């Protein structure tokens, strides 16, 4: 699937899709190295620490897969190909962790092959990126159980 590589990231939630229970529909990727020994994580802009590339599935995107690949480009600067659908992961955060800026969500993740890492991307000035082993990523994602679940569903070497 050809990706539209925008030079700026989308912002806001005006075009956000929502599920039947009012949950925000989020699409994300688990970007693995070719030998499946490393995963590419990005810095979170809100909470600090490291996360998987992910973001809202918008109304002008035909599939969650399309949204996931757009988010991978905007946040991590990677062009990728979906290898495997990792399924839907329900919200795992406690009620007190949910806010207007971080509402209840349902996550759709895809394992992807990284075809290219760009030196310039829309959120380069906001986020770093780093390849990590499974053990490093597991530690980095321990406070984000939905992201750790996506990692565990992937074929990364554990």
């Amino acid at each position: 699937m050809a990706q539209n590589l925008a030079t700026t990231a989308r912002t806001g939630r005006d075009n956000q899709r929502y599920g039947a229970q009012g949950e925000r529909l989020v699409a994300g990727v688990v970007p693995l190295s070719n030998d499946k020994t490393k995963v590419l994580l990005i810095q979170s802009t809100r909470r600090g620490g490291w996360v998987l590339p992910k973001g809202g599935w918008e109304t002008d995107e035909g599939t969650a897969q399309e949204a996931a690949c757009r988010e991978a480009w905007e946040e991590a600067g990677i062009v990728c190909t979906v290898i495997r659908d990792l399924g839907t992961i329900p919200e795992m955060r406690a009620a007190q962790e949910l806010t207007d800026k971080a509402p209840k969500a349902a996550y759709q993740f895809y394992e992807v092959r990284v075809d290219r890492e760009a030196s310039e991307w829309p959120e380069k000035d906001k986020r770093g990126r780093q390849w990590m082993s499974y053990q490093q990523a597991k530690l980095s994602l321990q406070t984000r159980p939905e992201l750790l679940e996506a990692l565990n569903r992937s074929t990364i070497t554990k």
Side-chain angles (χ1 to χ4, degrees), residues 108-124:
Q108 178 67 48
F109 272 94
Y110 300 91
E111 181 176 317
V112 298
R113 178 187 71 231
V114 176
D115 299 321
R116 182 169 64 92
E117 280 184 75
S119 57
E120 298 290 327
W121 68 94
E123 295 188 12
K124 179 182 180 185

Side-chain angles (χ1 to χ4, degrees), residues 9-11 43-45 121-128:
R10 295 181 181 199
T11 59
Q43 289 178 309
S44 171
T45 59
W121 68 94
E123 295 188 12
K124 179 182 180 185
D125 293 336
K126 289 201 241 179
R127 300 178 188 272

Side-chain angles (χ1 to χ4, degrees), residues 8 17 23 62 76 78 86-87 93-94 100 107 109 154-155 158:
T8 58
R17 288 182 191 250
E23 72 278 20
I78 58 173
L86 299 175
R93 290 175 293 168
D100 287 342
Y107 302 87
F109 272 94
S154 78
T155 60
K158 295 177 178 77

Side-chain angles (χ1 to χ4, degrees), residues 5-106:
L5 303 179
T7 57
T8 58
R10 295 181 181 199
T11 59
R13 297 209 172 129
D14 293 340
N15 297 320
Q16 174 65 57
R17 288 182 191 250
Y18 292 90
Q21 280 77 49
E23 72 278 20
R24 183 171 172 244
L25 299 181
V26 173
V29 298
V30 179
L32 298 184
S33 59
N34 287 334
D35 64 2
K36 299 189 181 202
T37 62
K38 299 214 181 294
V39 61
L40 186 66
L41 296 187
I42 58 170
Q43 289 178 309
S44 171
T45 59
R46 285 205 181 103
R47 301 165 60 135
W50 297 93
V51 295
L52 292 166
K54 60 167 180 37
W57 176 14
E58 298 191 356
T59 55
D60 66 339
E61 294 169 310
T63 65
Q65 182 174 316
E66 182 181 344
C69 289
R70 174 185 51 79
E71 290 291 343
W73 166 250
E74 289 178 359
E75 295 183 348
I78 58 173
V79 177
C80 58
T81 300
V82 171
I83 302 300
R84 174 177 286 103
D85 183 336
L86 299 175
T88 301
I89 299 170
E91 182 63 70
M92 296 180 172
R93 290 175 293 168
Q96 65 268 24
E97 294 180 77
L98 303 176
T99 67
D100 287 342
K101 295 236 184 233
K104 181 177 178 179

